[in-house]
Amino acid sequence: MTDHTRRNVLRGAAAIAAAGGLVGTGAGAGPHAAAAAPQASTARRFPFLEGAFEPVTEELTAFDLPVTGRIPHDLNGRYLRNGPNVLGLEDPRAHHWMLGDGMVHGVRLRDGRAEWYRNRWVRSSQVAKKLGEPYPRPVPPDDFPCNTHVIPYRGRILTLQESGPLPYELDDDLNTVGTYDFRGTLKGPLTAHTKFDVHAGELHAIAYYPTWDHVRHLVIDPTGRVSRTTRIPVADAPMIHDFALTEHHVIILDMPVTFDPAAAERGDIVPYVWNDKHPARVGVLPRKGGAVRWFEVDPVYYSHTLNAYEEGPNIVIDTTNFDAPFLVAGNGSGGPYSAGTPRLDRWTIDLRHGRVRTRTLDDRPQEFPRVNEALVSRRHRYGYSAASAEMAVAYMAVDGNPPDRAFSNALIKQDLLRGTTQVHRLPRGAAASEAVFVPREHSAAEDDGYAIAYVHNPDRGASDLLILAAQDFTGEPVARIHLPGRVPLGFHGSWIPDA
């Protein structure tokens, strides 16, 4: 068997993209233009290339954006969101949504004004080639235009991807600076979902790779170096997309989506499968070191963790889950497939009695849960998530879509202490991206701040940046910032405040 690296294991979309040979407009000629978005076959739909998912084809820059409402004067910084935006795809059958070239969309707010909007592809070697630009440095191993997350880290802006590539650093105007390896200390993959503990000043990651017989817990200390790496043996090379952190523990979610060497040999775009023989389990690793304790759970596929915390002898984890089976490689639709939609669940790990209790907190379709970032690893009361009808329908697309009246577009706020939910409903066609919580200056309460998200505006055929007052979640938006183009449905983002 060949040695599997990201270049050959996940070579389908990356190789197709690298062969695109697109040429940019040249220095000083304005935004780079890509080839037109692929058209879906009349005999087969590709929902992750259509509608709210359709890739944009240009990099735009716009200043002094129009606003409905008033931008709070204490919002000074950048809201950035990453996502796949495939570049130069010739055959939609060779596409998988999760492997599209990363594009970061950003709005800069200052003193009550929306100063600019920019969208920029992450300049990996493949993207630079397709845009006709030089790649001014040696090509790193497993090079990939990180498409999953964008985070602030000690004055830097980092785009993240799991299972192989180094993060790519961006400057304040979203130009690509280059790869970043944490002062030469990152040896191997990171993750798309790091957890930053503000109390300890530590950045944590669970990294996986298809040829490993383990996963790795990485700790990046306050100096910005990887200070500790713990190898955790696992079978079948599972995909571990996210994890959770508490004050004293790291929570590893080992679910039955595993690497398939035969699929990799065939050249499958994403060679990960639902594996009924792989037990679903949750691992608890002490942050100070020690053995992992494993707890079996019923098979599900978690997509993202909201947060986790300790409560006496118990560990509480809130996470969005899909029912089994979950097909990462999809069912011919160009993206993941599930027989149902994700819901918000709570898992309580009873360390004293060695068991896990599970219950559903909210069964309405929702994804991309977020918490006040100051409370990562500590007890939280509130959570925020997005319900996007088009995403729910795309995940379930096989031979036809379920009626879209079964789904709606909304942003959701959970009060997990009272067990209540507030829903900010959005119009038909107003596909909602992840909502990120931004605290107000000098805020005292956990929800004293704003929930901000990109939302498609069907009347304009473009996107708005929606700003909601978190304590008046169902009320009129504080502001709608009108962007000059669409922001396709994508993945994760961050608020990056001015220093």
Side-chain angles (χ1 to χ4, degrees):
M1 181 176 294
T2 57
D3 178 36
H4 297 295
T5 68
R6 189 175 185 91
R7 278 188 201 280
N8 53 40
V9 169
L10 301 183
R11 66 182 178 270
I16 292 290
L22 296 178
V23 179
T25 55
H32 293 287
Q39 298 297 312
S41 164
T42 56
R44 181 174 171 187
R45 291 196 61 235
F46 298 94
F48 291 94
L49 289 170
E50 303 165 6
F53 295 93
E54 182 181 352
V56 297
T57 60
E58 291 184 313
E59 293 181 325
L60 302 177
T61 303
F63 298 96
D64 293 321
L65 307 176
V67 178
T68 299
R70 306 184 83 177
I71 299 171
H73 277 260
D74 59 347
L75 281 177
N76 290 292
R78 295 162 177 81
Y79 175 61
L80 309 183
R81 203 222 65 197
N82 203 348
N85 194 89
V86 65
L87 175 61
L89 182 70
E90 295 179 355
D91 185 351
R93 294 171 299 178
H95 175 65
H96 192 282
W97 183 44
M98 295 189 301
L99 291 177
D101 305 286
M103 175 177 274
V104 175
H105 299 258
V107 174
R108 204 284 189 242
L109 305 180
R110 180 157 46 191
D111 298 330
R113 296 173 50 240
E115 288 192 347
W116 53 250
Y117 163 79
R118 287 180 167 89
N119 64 313
R120 296 291 186 270
W121 274 289
V122 178
R123 259 49 173 197
S124 68
S125 58
Q126 310 99 293
V127 168
K129 180 180 179 180
K130 287 182 285 185
L131 292 172
E133 300 174 355
Y135 185 76
R137 61 190 70 88
V139 176
D142 296 332
D143 190 33
F144 192 77
C146 301
N147 70 17
T148 310
H149 209 343
V150 54
I151 64 168
Y153 182 70
R154 301 197 178 281
R156 301 178 186 270
I157 299 171
L158 303 181
T159 63
L160 304 181
Q161 188 84 17
E162 63 199 81
S163 187
L166 288 172
Y168 264 95
E169 182 181 354
L170 308 181
D171 68 16
D172 288 346
D173 292 330
L174 309 189
N175 302 304
T176 301
V177 175
T179 55
Y180 185 69
D181 60 5
F182 297 91
R183 305 174 72 176
T185 62
L186 178 60
K187 309 296 183 183
L190 190 62
T191 181
H193 288 286
T194 54
K195 310 293 181 189
F196 186 72
D197 183 339
V198 298
H199 304 277
E202 295 175 344
L203 188 70
H204 290 250
I206 294 290
Y208 73 94
Y209 201 70
T211 59
W212 289 353
D213 60 359
H214 62 278
V215 297
R216 297 177 185 175
H217 171 229
L218 308 176
V219 180
I220 300 167
D221 67 21
T223 71
R225 294 180 171 89
V226 178
S227 61
R228 188 166 74 248
T229 299
T230 303
R231 298 191 177 200
I232 303 159
V234 295
D236 305 322
M239 174 179 283
I240 299 185
H241 179 64
D242 201 352
F243 73 107
L245 191 70
T246 71
E247 184 176 358
H248 299 104
H249 299 92
V250 182
I251 314 303
I252 305 108
L253 304 174
D254 180 9
M255 298 295 127
V257 173
T258 63
F259 177 65
D260 182 0
E265 291 289 353
R266 288 194 304 268
D268 288 7
I269 298 172
V270 180
Y272 281 83
V273 298
W274 183 266
N275 183 354
D276 284 318
K277 296 180 180 179
H278 186 86
R281 59 183 189 161
V282 179
V284 178
L285 171 71
R287 281 173 61 166
K288 65 182 180 181
V292 178
R293 288 184 64 187
W294 290 104
F295 303 82
E296 288 199 10
V297 294
D298 291 334
V300 296
Y301 184 71
Y302 75 96
S303 55
H304 299 99
T305 59
L306 170 65
N307 194 31
Y309 60 87
E310 294 157 16
E311 187 175 57
N314 298 328
I315 293 174
V316 177
I317 312 166
D318 292 339
T319 178
T320 47
N321 291 332
F322 290 86
D323 286 330
F326 181 82
L327 306 182
V328 176
N331 207 359
S333 64
Y337 165 75
S338 174
T341 52
R343 63 187 179 272
L344 184 65
D345 286 349
R346 171 164 287 183
W347 294 357
T348 303
I349 304 173
D350 185 336
L351 297 175
R352 182 177 296 161
H353 298 99
R355 62 192 180 196
V356 180
R357 301 189 302 273
T358 64
R359 67 185 178 99
T360 295
L361 298 172
D362 188 356
D363 64 358
R364 80 189 73 212
Q366 60 193 282
E367 250 287 31
F368 305 136
R370 296 296 294 261
V371 71
N372 183 330
E373 294 291 309
L375 294 176
V376 168
S377 79
R378 302 305 197 268
R379 184 170 188 142
H380 62 279
R381 174 175 175 176
Y382 300 105
Y384 306 86
S385 56
S388 173
E390 198 156 348
M391 182 173 288
V393 169
Y395 266 58
M396 299 175 70
V398 187
D399 298 323
N401 291 326
D404 59 7
R405 64 178 177 272
F407 306 106
S408 60
N409 296 304
L411 298 174
I412 301 169
K413 177 186 177 183
Q414 306 281 352
D415 184 334
L416 299 166
L417 177 62
R418 294 183 176 178
T420 58
T421 302
Q422 296 181 57
V423 179
H424 187 93
R425 302 192 184 280
L426 299 164
R428 182 183 179 90
S433 294
E434 176 186 71
V436 170
F437 176 80
V438 182
R440 283 198 322 117
E441 287 183 358
H442 313 299
S443 60
E446 178 184 336
D447 65 341
D448 185 8
Y450 311 97
I452 57 179
Y454 292 126
V455 175
H456 183 64
N457 186 325
D459 295 330
R460 296 195 307 115
S463 295
D464 296 336
L465 180 59
L466 201 67
I467 302 177
L468 303 179
Q471 293 182 335
D472 184 22
F473 198 77
T474 60
E476 280 295 307
V478 174
R480 289 186 181 92
I481 301 168
H482 305 300
L483 309 185
R486 290 189 308 107
V487 178
L489 281 175
F491 296 144
H492 308 286
S494 297
W495 172 251
I496 302 178
D498 290 348

